[in-house]
């Protein structure tokens, strides 16, 4: 049987819940315009003509879904009540978990795409196509939805045994198969990002021509470092908290922290925007320069 009693006194608990409400409210206020504008720019200005743009559109869409779910979380922690149905609580919870899962995959796709652009710019062109990117993105969303079905059923059974005050506090339903899936998924995606970062760093250091400007190299590595930070700070702690008993008192705080990722993803778009513009405008038919230009134009 679950126990929802808290070790903090009422004042401490109220202060924590107020803090959670402020974080979720602040992320909503900041994240909503950032992601709406980012999505508009990606769709309007870049026309989904590169796999990187496709993945970033889906990443921005995932973040936007998370942002629109946060006002109700803020309301819940501010008032201590849940005015909607248990199913609404479940789907808002799913929007958060889907964001962690889908964002970790799309960020990894972006990372792998950048790796191929640096290490194999010519040989990977038949792989790095918008068509393949759309197929990959569709597969990601399909997997996410399939995982949602049994997870939603389990959370529904849990909520039927407890009143509305248990919304978002699924501490007795944390070690589900889907929770293990999320922790393993995020860990695997992090490992892929670490390998990609190491390979790109080695390539930039050892193989690129001296004519590549240092600013370009910095921009390249910033993308990879930002990706690693997303995993280490936002995705992994919240995912592991689903599994480890000792982490559960900090679970809601880690959820707050994880929600901030949707405000930082636009930085990833920013460091790629100039590359998108130049890639469209600059055409070089000289084969000896083509490999170098691929890296320069995509990461400038």
């Amino acid at each position: 049987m679950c126990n929802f009693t808290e070790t903090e006194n009422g004042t401490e608990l109220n202060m924590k819940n107020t803090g959670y409400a402020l974080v979720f409210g602040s992320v909503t206020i900041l994240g909503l315009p950032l992601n709406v504008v980012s999505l508009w720019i990606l769709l309007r200005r870049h026309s989904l003509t590169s796999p990187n743009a496709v993945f970033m559109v889906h990443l921005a869409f995932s973040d936007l879904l998370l942002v629109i779910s946060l006002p109700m979380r803020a309301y819940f922690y501010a008032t201590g009540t849940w005015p909607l149905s248990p199913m609404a609580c479940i789907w808002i919870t799913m929007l958060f978990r889907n964001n962690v899962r889908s964002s970790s995959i799309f960020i990894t796709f972006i990372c792998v795409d950048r790796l191929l652009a640096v290490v194999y710019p010519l040989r990977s062109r038949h792989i790095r196509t918008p068509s393949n990117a759309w197929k990959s993105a569709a597969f990601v969303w399909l997997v996410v939805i399939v995982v949602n079905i049994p997870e939603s059923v389990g959370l529904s059974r849990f909520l039927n045994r407890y009143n509305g005050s248990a919304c978002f506090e699924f501490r007795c339903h944390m070690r589900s198969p889907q929770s293990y899936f999320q922790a393993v998924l995020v860990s695997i995606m992090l490992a892929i990002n670490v390998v990609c970062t190491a390979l790109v760093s080695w390539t930039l250091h050892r193989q690129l021509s001296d004519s590549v400007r240092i600013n370009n190299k910095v921009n390249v590595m910033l993308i990879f470092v930002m990706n690693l930070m997303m995993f280490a700070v936002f995705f992994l702690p919240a995912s592991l908290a689903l599994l480890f008993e000792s982490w559960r008192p900090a679970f809601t705080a880690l959820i707050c922290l994880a929600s901030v990722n949707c405000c930082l993803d636009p930085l990833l778009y920013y460091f790629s925007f100039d590359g998108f513009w130049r890639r469209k405008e600059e055409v070089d038919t000289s084969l000896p320069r083509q490999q170098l230009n691929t890296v320069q134009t995509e990461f400038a």
Side-chain angles (χ1 to χ4, degrees):
M1 185 65 65
C2 295
N3 183 8
F4 292 100
T5 60
E6 299 285 348
T7 58
E8 300 96 346
N9 60 42
T11 302
E12 291 174 337
L13 184 58
N14 287 336
M15 289 181 62
K16 280 191 173 184
N17 287 341
T18 300
Y20 300 149
L22 288 174
V23 171
F24 289 131
S26 299
V27 172
T28 301
I29 294 171
L30 183 60
L32 184 60
L34 281 175
N35 285 283
V36 168
V37 171
S38 296
L39 191 59
W40 182 84
I41 292 175
L42 286 166
L43 292 172
R44 178 76 174 178
R45 311 298 292 184
H46 302 302
S47 305
L48 305 182
T49 55
S50 73
N52 205 29
V54 173
F55 294 140
M56 287 187 176
V57 163
H58 286 277
L59 179 59
F61 179 69
S62 176
D63 288 339
L64 191 58
L65 290 178
L66 171 65
V67 169
I68 63 177
S69 74
L70 294 182
M72 291 310 302
R73 282 186 180 266
Y75 178 87
F76 173 78
Y77 286 107
T79 65
T81 60
W82 180 249
L84 304 179
S85 66
M87 187 56 63
C89 174
I90 290 172
W91 283 110
I92 290 177
T93 300
M94 289 298 98
L95 286 176
F96 170 80
R97 297 189 182 184
N98 288 346
N99 175 259
V100 173
R101 296 162 186 171
S102 60
S103 293
S104 65
I105 298 175
F106 289 131
I107 287 176
T108 302
F109 282 169
I110 292 170
C111 185
V112 173
D113 180 72
R114 303 299 81 192
L115 168 70
L116 294 175
V118 171
V119 182
Y120 307 107
L122 298 180
R123 284 182 288 176
S124 65
R125 286 192 171 184
H126 68 287
I127 300 175
R128 298 175 55 245
T129 63
S131 175
N132 287 340
W134 276 105
K135 292 176 184 177
S136 300
F139 179 75
V140 170
W141 288 115
L142 177 62
V143 170
V144 166
I145 293 173
V146 169
V147 172
N148 280 177
I149 296 173
E151 193 168 22
S152 298
V153 172
L155 294 179
S156 177
R157 291 173 180 172
F158 168 79
L159 286 178
N160 287 337
R161 291 182 293 179
Y162 298 93
N163 57 34
S165 63
C167 185
F168 304 132
E169 298 291 335
F170 300 111
R171 298 185 182 184
C172 304
H173 193 272
M174 297 174 84
R175 288 191 177 182
S176 65
Q178 293 76 28
S179 298
Y180 285 100
F181 167 79
Q182 178 170 318
V184 171
L185 173 68
V186 171
S187 298
I188 293 174
M189 296 298 105
L190 173 59
I192 293 174
N193 277 265
V194 170
V195 172
C196 290
T197 302
L199 289 174
V200 169
S201 177
W202 181 85
T203 301
L204 290 175
H205 180 68
R206 296 289 300 274
Q207 295 183 0
L208 289 187
S209 167
D210 293 335
S211 61
V212 177
R213 297 173 302 178
I214 187 65
N215 288 340
N216 290 348
K217 294 182 182 180
V218 170
N219 281 359
V220 172
M221 292 311 303
L222 274 175
I223 294 174
F224 286 89
V225 170
M226 287 170 55
N227 289 346
L228 292 178
M229 183 194 69
M230 290 289 184
F231 280 90
V233 177
F234 303 115
F235 299 150
L236 191 60
S239 299
L240 294 180
L242 293 170
L243 305 181
F244 295 112
E245 188 78 29
S246 60
W247 290 34
R248 294 188 182 182
F251 179 68
T252 306
L254 292 175
I255 294 296
C256 285
L257 180 63
S259 68
V260 177
N261 87 87
C262 67
C263 297
L264 298 182
D265 281 336
L267 290 176
L268 186 64
Y269 316 143
Y270 172 80
F271 284 110
S272 298
F273 276 161
D274 186 53
F276 288 152
W277 288 114
R278 293 180 59 188
R279 184 178 175 187
K280 287 182 177 182
E281 296 169 359
E282 296 181 6
V283 178
D284 192 336
T285 58
S286 175
L287 186 59
R289 293 281 300 171
Q290 191 171 9
Q291 179 171 345
L292 180 58
N293 284 343
T294 303
V295 178
Q296 287 180 314
T297 57
E298 293 196 16
F299 293 103

